[in-house]
Amino acid sequence: MLDLTRALTFRREANFIDGQWVGASGSRTMEVTNPATGDIIGTIPVAGKAETEAAIAAAHKAFPAWAGLLAQERATKLNAMAQLIRDNVEALAELLTLEQGKPLAEARGEVLSGAAYVQWFAEEARRVYGDVIPSPFPGRRLLVTKEPVGVVGAITPWNFPFSMLARKVGAALAAGCTVVAKPSEFTPYSGLAWGVLAEKAGIPAGVVNIVTGDAPAIGEAMTGSDVVRKITFTGSTRVGKLLAEASARTMKRFSMELGGNAPFIVFDDADLDAAVEGAMMAKYRNSGQTCICTNRFYVQQGIYEAFAAKLAEKVKTLKVGSGFEAGSLQGPLINDAALAKVETLVGDATAKGGKVVAGGKLHALGGTFYEPTLITGGRQDMRIAREEVFGPVAVLFPFETEAQAIEMANATEFGLAAYFYSKDLARAFRVSAALKYGMVGINAGIITTEVAPFGGVKDSGVGREGSKYGLDDYLDVKYLSIGGL
Ligand code: NAP
C-alpha cells in the first residue's frame, strides 16, 4: 500500500491569492486523478475571471515593495526557497508522480532541476547590470538601466509541472516581478506547491499567486489586464498563439515555450553505442511526453540496420509500470486523449508501410500505459513526420546524404530542439549551423540545464528560459540621458 503522507503535506486543494488559501467563488471544484490508476486524488477550485482579477490585484499591490528590495534581499529569499525544495525533494517528487505518472527517479530529477533554476536566478539577481554609453553630445551622460517588467502571468503544462514553474517564478521573482500562475488542471498540485514554498520561504503575500480551473477564462483575465505586463507560457503552439494574439491588445511582453518536433540524425560515422544511449534519453524520458523529445530519427544507410537492431534491443528492456514501482522506467500517458493520439499516429505510420520492431500497442497493464515502441521504414508522408507524437514511439527514417538529412530535419514548422551524432568535427559545425532550431544536441541526448538558454524558433516560440538570457525576458531596458553636466 502506497504511503502518501509525505506527498500530501504539499497538496493544497485551494488557490493561493494574496498569501491566503482560498476556494473559488460558489465553491466550484474539479477532480484531479492519478493517471496510473484513474483514482481521484483530490479536488481543486475552478477559478475564473473574478479570482484571477483578485490575484492580479494582489500581485499589483505587492509589486512596488518586492521590486524595491535590494537584489541581495530577493536573492536570499530565493535561495531559501531552493533549499526548501531540496529539503523536501521526496515529498514533492511523490506528489509529482502521483498526479503526473512519471517514474519517481525522474520526478526527483525534475524537482531538483526546479531547485537549480531557482538558485541560478537567485545568483543572477545580483548581476542585473546596465550600461554607460559613450555620449555623442558634450556635457551629457547616457545610462542604461534595467527594471522589472511588472506583474507576470505564467501558464504551465502538465508534463513538467514543477520545473516549468521554477523557470518562470524563479526568473520573475529574481528580476523583481510579482506573479499570477496557472498550472494545468491535470497536474495542479505541483503548481500549487509553489504557494507552500513561497509561504515557507517568507516571500511576502501577493508576490506569488496561484489560480486553477477554467483555463480560457483565466487566460483572458490575464491577457486582458493592463496591469499584467508580461505573459510567460509553456504549452501547445495553438494556445500559445491565442495568448500572443490576445496579449497584443495591451501590448504585453511575452515568452512562448511551445511545441517541438525534434529530429535526431545519426550519421554513418557516429559512435553507435553513444547514439543508441542518446536516443533512449532523447526519446523515452517521461514516456516521450517532453517538448524536446525526439519525434523523428534520421539514420544514414550505412549504420541504419545496426542502429535499428541495437535500439530495438534497448527499447524492449524498458520496464513499464506505475511511477511508484521500483525499476519502472515508463509510466502511463497523461490521459485518454494522449493515448488516442499515439494510437492514431502509430496506425497511420504502419498503414503507410512502417514496420513495428518493438511494442506497437496498448500495454497489458491497460489504462493509458502504452508499450515503448520502435518503428522502422519511416516516410516523410507519415503524420508522425510532422506531428508531435508526445508518446513513447520512435520512428526511423533512412537517408543517404547529409544534405537530405538536413532538408528532412528542417521540414517542419517547429524549431525547438534537434540532435545529431557524428565524430566529424567539420560536419558538427556545418550541420549545427544548418539546423533551424533553438537548441542542438551534438553527441548529446540530454541538453536541459539551468545555465543554458532553453527555447525555440519558428512555431516553437519566442524567448529563452534559464541562463543569463532567461532573466532579460523579465526586464525592461530604460535609457537615461543626463544633460547639464
Ligand atoms: P496546452 O493544452 O497548450 O496547455 C498548456 C497550459 O495552457 C495548461 O495550463 C492549460 O490549462 C492552459 N490552457 C489551455 N487552453 C488555454 C486557453 N485558452 N487560455 C489560457 N490557458 C490555456 O498544452 P499541454 O497539452 O498541457 O502541453 C503539451 C504541449 O506543451 C506540447 O505541445 C509540448 O511540446 C509543449 N511544451 C513545450 C515546452 C517548451 O519548453 N517549449 C515544455 C513543455 C511542453 P489546462 O491544462 O488546465 O487546460
Side-chain angles (χ1 to χ4, degrees):
M1 186 66 184
L2 204 55
D3 179 5
L4 293 172
T5 321
R6 196 162 44 183
L8 296 183
T9 59
F10 274 89
R11 184 191 61 177
R12 293 290 181 278
E13 296 179 283
N15 284 178
F16 190 58
I17 299 176
D18 206 8
Q20 305 293 316
W21 290 99
V22 293
S25 59
S27 306
R28 290 173 302 149
T29 60
M30 68 203 290
E31 288 168 347
V32 182
T33 55
N34 173 348
T37 59
D39 294 343
I40 293 162
I41 54 180
T43 63
I44 47 162
V46 180
K49 186 170 187 273
E51 296 82 356
T52 309
E53 285 176 350
I56 293 169
H60 187 44
K61 189 177 70 179
F63 174 70
W66 181 252
L69 287 181
L70 296 175
Q72 176 63 61
E73 292 170 323
R74 288 197 301 272
T76 301
K77 296 226 180 288
L78 284 171
N79 273 321
M81 215 175 189
Q83 191 53 44
L84 266 166
I85 297 170
R86 285 190 285 261
D87 291 345
N88 291 282
V89 59
E90 290 306 319
L92 290 163
E94 286 165 8
L95 187 64
L96 176 42
T97 292
L98 183 67
E99 63 179 354
Q100 203 278 339
K102 66 179 66 179
L104 202 48
E106 284 189 28
R108 246 180 238 123
E110 179 177 340
V111 170
L112 291 175
S113 137
Y117 273 99
V118 173
Q119 185 180 337
W120 169 265
F121 284 118
E123 291 159 357
E124 284 299 287
R126 301 172 62 196
R127 291 191 274 272
V128 177
Y129 302 134
D131 281 313
V132 180
I133 300 173
S135 174
F137 316 112
R140 288 258 200 124
R141 280 275 194 284
L142 312 187
L143 306 185
V144 176
T145 62
K146 291 183 183 171
E147 296 182 346
V149 296
V151 174
V152 172
I155 302 180
T156 49
W158 50 264
N159 59 346
F160 288 88
F162 191 80
S163 62
M164 291 299 113
L165 216 40
R167 295 173 176 190
K168 300 182 189 310
V169 170
L173 265 52
C177 301
T178 55
V179 178
V180 177
K182 190 212 90 68
S184 167
E185 66 185 89
F186 302 113
T187 55
Y189 296 129
S190 297
L192 289 163
W194 284 90
V196 184
L197 292 166
E199 265 183 327
K200 286 185 195 267
I203 306 281
V207 171
V208 175
N209 306 273
I210 307 165
V211 291
T212 56
D214 181 343
I218 295 170
E220 275 164 36
M222 285 183 182
T223 53
S225 161
D226 285 327
V227 166
V228 175
R229 294 315 312 149
K230 176 187 167 85
I231 296 288
T232 171
F233 173 75
T234 300
S236 63
T237 298
R238 182 188 69 80
V239 175
K241 286 183 177 177
L242 281 177
L243 294 171
E245 269 181 47
S247 296
R249 292 201 295 268
T250 45
M251 205 45 85
K252 294 186 204 316
R253 301 268 302 264
F254 56 76
S255 301
M256 296 284 160
E257 298 286 348
L258 311 177
N261 182 1
F264 187 113
I265 308 170
V266 185
F267 290 101
D268 280 347
D269 64 19
D271 174 330
L272 178 62
D273 290 333
V276 169
E277 204 55 47
M280 292 299 291
M281 290 188 287
K283 174 69 251 184
Y284 295 98
R285 214 158 39 100
N286 201 10
S287 298
Q289 302 173 111
T290 89
C291 54
I292 55 171
C293 260
T294 303
N295 215 36
R296 308 164 283 151
F297 286 88
Y298 295 112
V299 189
Q300 207 162 9
Q301 294 284 11
I303 201 170
Y304 187 86
E305 294 300 335
F307 181 81
K310 263 213 151 146
L311 188 59
E313 214 177 278
K314 284 263 185 193
V315 171
K316 287 176 189 162
T317 65
L318 287 173
K319 185 177 166 202
V320 179
S322 153
F324 287 107
E325 216 178 294
S328 166
L329 292 170
Q330 295 279 285
L333 295 174
I334 190 70
N335 53 29
D336 291 340
L339 176 67
K341 180 166 189 200
V342 168
E343 288 180 326
T344 304
L345 292 187
V346 168
D348 174 77
T350 50
K352 289 177 179 152
K355 184 174 161 219
V356 174
V357 293
K361 58 183 189 312
L362 188 67
H363 191 271
L365 286 170
T368 59
F369 287 95
Y370 196 82
E371 291 178 344
T373 296
L374 180 63
I375 297 174
T376 57
R379 288 191 340 217
Q380 285 295 92
D381 63 342
M382 290 175 176
R383 282 180 60 186
I384 209 161
R386 299 183 309 277
E387 293 176 43
E388 202 180 14
V389 60
F390 241 55
V393 179
V395 184
L396 307 194
F397 301 75
F399 73 89
E400 282 170 16
T401 66
E402 184 181 300
Q404 256 179 356
I406 290 168
E407 192 188 329
M408 290 195 290
N410 284 338
T412 168
E413 68 273 29
F414 295 108
L416 192 57
Y419 308 83
F420 69 90
Y421 276 68
S422 167
K423 284 195 247 166
D424 179 336
L425 186 61
R427 167 176 277 159
F429 279 98
R430 212 165 47 230
V431 174
S432 54
L435 289 170
K436 304 285 178 231
Y437 287 84
M439 299 175 280
V440 182
I442 304 162
N443 299 322
I446 293 236
I447 55 175
T448 308
T449 156
E450 72 281 5
V451 309
F454 190 102
V457 297
K458 295 161 69 181
D459 266 7
S460 290
V462 291
R464 293 294 180 267
E465 293 193 319
S467 81
K468 65 173 182 174
Y469 307 101
L471 205 53
D472 285 343
D473 278 9
Y474 293 83
L475 294 164
D476 282 330
V477 165
K478 184 179 272 180
Y479 156 53
L480 312 180
S481 180
I482 307 166
L485 301 178

